[in-house]
Amino acid sequence: MVFAHDTEMTLQAVVELVNTAGEPDLLTRVEELDEFYDRWGYTGRHERTRAELDDVRASREGLRTLLLADRDDAAAMVNDILREAHAVPRLVRHDPLDWHIHAEPLDAPLATQIAVEAAVAMIDVIRDNESSRISVCAIEDCASIALDLSRNRSKRFCSVTCGNRAAQQAYRARRG
């Protein structure tokens, strides 16, 4: 494990969320947001409304900027997110996780919860100087984010699909 379990889960969730933006947009229905919320184990306020969906969708670009920022810029963004949300770190335990950090206010809207959790996860990325583990997918025509949590830092693609496409392209290039 590169980071603490909750940090890795948060980074995976935020990368998945950011990667829903694009053509086609993969987060257009409240039910899709419900599935995201449940899949990643969020525990705070969740209104299940179109307004909440719109707020979360609107947050994706800022989250993408945070994930791809250089270390100093990311640190400034983290501080801004935490200050604006009036975040106060606290240790919590809930199934299936043991003690971990939450910092968002208990009644924070879902978009704020996600942003604060992303900021807290990015603290570990910044402190450990591991921002190279977050990059744009290595396949030419893909703008999704790839998160490399491997020991040997070998992940270059956002998904198996892009990895397979790259392998096919390399094979065709070798065959001439």
Side-chain angles (χ1 to χ4, degrees), residues 147-173:
L147 174 63
D148 184 359
L149 296 175
S150 68
R151 280 191 195 179
N152 65 359
R153 299 172 178 269
S154 61
K155 186 170 180 187
R156 299 175 32 226
F157 305 104
C158 66
S159 66
V160 173
T161 302
C162 281
N164 288 343
R165 286 177 53 211
Q168 289 171 350
Q169 290 171 356
Y171 174 76
R172 286 186 196 117

Side-chain angles (χ1 to χ4, degrees), residues 9-25:
M9 276 185 54
T10 297
L11 291 171
Q12 290 169 332
V14 173
V15 166
E16 178 183 305
L17 177 63
V18 167
N19 286 346
T20 63
E23 293 299 323
D25 191 315

Side-chain angles (χ1 to χ4, degrees), residues 22-166:
E23 293 299 323
D25 191 315
L26 301 175
L27 185 64
T28 59
R29 298 177 311 122
V30 171
E31 295 80 14
E32 292 164 340
L33 183 58
D34 292 345
E35 291 167 11
F36 172 83
Y37 181 94
D38 292 338
R39 182 171 46 260
W40 292 107
Y42 286 93
T43 58
R45 180 172 146 196
H46 180 33
E47 297 172 354
R48 295 173 171 83
T49 64
R50 182 69 200 189
E52 180 181 63
L53 173 64
D54 291 344
D55 288 345
V56 170
R57 292 179 75 222
S59 74
R60 295 179 297 187
E61 188 58 38
L63 292 169
R64 178 183 178 83
T65 301
L66 171 64
L67 291 172
L68 296 175
D70 70 46
R71 193 171 180 217
D72 292 342
D73 290 341
M77 288 181 228
V78 163
N79 288 336
D80 289 345
I81 291 167
L82 297 176
R83 184 182 60 256
E84 289 170 13
H86 305 287
V88 177
R90 64 191 179 283
L91 287 169
V92 297
R93 182 168 45 190
H94 54 80
D95 287 335
L97 300 175
D98 198 5
W99 291 109
H100 60 285
I101 297 173
H102 279 226
E104 69 281 352
L106 294 173
D107 63 341
L110 182 56
T112 301
Q113 291 175 51
I114 294 168
V116 169
E117 287 193 20
V120 170
M122 286 299 291
I123 289 171
D124 286 347
V125 173
I126 294 163
R127 287 178 38 181
D128 292 344
N129 198 18
E130 293 285 359
S131 57
S132 64
R133 291 187 176 275
I134 306 169
S135 62
V136 176
C137 182
I139 201 154
E140 233 177 74
D141 60 344
C142 182
S144 291
I145 293 178
L147 174 63
D148 184 359
L149 296 175
S150 68
R151 280 191 195 179
N152 65 359
R153 299 172 178 269
S154 61
K155 186 170 180 187
R156 299 175 32 226
F157 305 104
C158 66
S159 66
V160 173
T161 302
C162 281
N164 288 343
R165 286 177 53 211

